[in-house]
Amino acid sequence: MDRYAVFGHPVRHSKSPFIHTLFARQTQQQLEYGLADPEPDEFAAALRSFFAEGGKGCNITVPFKEQAFTLVDSLSPRAKLAGAINTIKLTDDGLLLGDNTDGAGLVADLKAQGIILAESRILLLGAGGAARGALAPLLAEGPRTLVIANRTHDKAAQLAQRFTSLGPIVAAQYDALTGPFDLVINSTSASLQGTLPAISPTLIHDDIAVYDMMYGVNDTAFNAWARERGARKIMDGLGMLVQQAAEAFTIWRGIRPGTAQVLRELKRNLGA
């Protein structure tokens, strides 16, 4: 049976095995999907061993997305742009292809939830692998402006420069953000620690949509903060997780699974 896995550290909390098991059942694909949790300095060796022992593909999550980018034989165009990968496929030629499905998953989920991205004013918080994966797909939707802000401003400025040919993107300091924005996307890992990006509460108003790429049974810290300030629409990253997984599954198996039922099952599994 074909073997797949998700690599992360820690990774025990991952819902990817649940999601891909449902995708396989839905599409009548025979595969098994597991967890791999190597120490950071053992990731490269663990990845090589996985494929040497018959692995067909894997997902990559925190903190390995940027390291994995350097370990594959070839990259998809969107992975090259992102500088980070979350999906690897073993090709028929025995080569490792790296791809990034995060941005496609984010945009698909935003659209599924009725968010109009064209001509919108978007604020993206964070400049790590998740942000890099999101930028090109977001810019492809034709926003009026996309502002990227990060705790370390230089990282945001470098990303804005890197993606400037794709659309209207600028970098800003957290304390210099003024808005107004139609959509705020939190790609930082702050919610994992129960903390918040250092942005002004005045950016949140009653006509804004807020999206945290993290998720949980209850509101993330960021979404709870935005809800208290009257944000119009509050979204977490659960739909993005399912949508990016569907994209990865399609890359591996050549068949696209449906996502609506899997998302419902996942919410039920989380107790949401």
Side-chain angles (χ1 to χ4, degrees):
M1 188 177 292
D2 290 346
R3 291 176 54 223
Y4 297 86
V6 57
F7 282 79
H9 184 75
V11 79
R12 185 174 59 183
H13 66 284
S14 174
K15 300 302 178 185
S16 292
F18 181 84
I19 294 169
H20 285 286
T21 296
L22 292 182
F23 283 162
R25 188 179 305 158
Q26 177 195 123
T27 57
Q28 299 181 315
Q29 297 286 297
Q30 300 298 312
L31 59 86
E32 59 181 39
Y33 189 107
L35 300 171
D37 188 354
E39 293 295 325
D41 61 351
E42 296 172 353
F43 169 62
L47 187 69
R48 285 192 292 268
S49 294
F50 173 75
F51 284 104
E53 293 167 6
K56 296 293 186 183
C58 65
N59 292 124
I60 308 293
T61 188
V62 177
F64 300 129
K65 291 182 180 183
E66 292 162 65
Q67 187 180 352
F69 181 86
T70 69
L71 299 175
V72 295
D73 301 303
S74 60
L75 295 159
S76 70
R78 60 188 176 185
K80 287 179 183 177
L81 271 173
I85 62 175
N86 74 334
T87 301
I88 300 176
K89 175 184 179 178
L90 180 68
T91 69
D92 293 341
D93 298 328
L95 301 177
L96 298 184
L97 169 66
D99 206 337
N100 191 309
T101 67
D102 280 335
L106 170 65
V107 168
D109 188 41
L110 286 167
K111 288 182 172 181
Q113 300 201 56
I115 301 299
I116 297 171
L117 296 170
E119 290 300 314
S120 64
R121 297 161 295 189
I122 302 171
L123 171 60
L124 178 63
L125 303 174
R132 280 197 293 275
L135 283 172
L138 285 171
L139 289 169
E141 294 298 315
R144 184 183 307 176
T145 185
L146 194 161
V147 178
I148 181 168
N150 187 58
R151 183 177 55 186
T152 305
H153 179 66
D154 284 351
K155 287 187 71 175
Q158 289 167 13
L159 276 188
Q161 180 62 38
R162 179 171 182 167
F163 285 84
T164 188
S165 65
L166 300 184
I169 180 172
V170 296
Q173 304 267 14
Y174 273 165
D175 59 6
L177 293 168
T178 57
F181 296 103
D182 303 303
L183 171 66
V184 179
I185 301 170
N186 179 28
S187 79
T188 75
S189 59
S191 287
L192 292 178
Q193 289 83 45
T195 59
L196 297 168
I199 64 170
S200 170
T202 60
L203 293 173
I204 307 301
H205 51 82
D206 61 7
D207 197 34
I208 200 169
V210 170
Y211 193 105
D212 194 336
M213 289 188 186
M214 301 297 124
Y215 62 89
V217 174
N218 302 309
D219 275 348
T220 65
F222 185 76
N223 281 356
W225 175 78
R227 191 181 297 279
E228 289 171 1
R229 280 150 187 81
R232 170 178 64 85
K233 189 172 181 65
I234 306 285
M235 300 163 282
D236 67 16
L238 202 61
M240 174 183 173
L241 178 69
V242 174
Q243 295 286 357
Q244 65 81 23
E247 185 81 4
F249 191 92
T250 306
I251 291 166
W252 294 331
R253 309 300 295 185
I255 183 170
R256 179 169 291 276
T259 56
Q261 181 182 1
V262 173
L263 182 55
R264 286 195 298 271
E265 291 291 333
L266 184 57
K267 288 180 178 178
R268 190 175 300 125
N269 179 259
L270 280 176

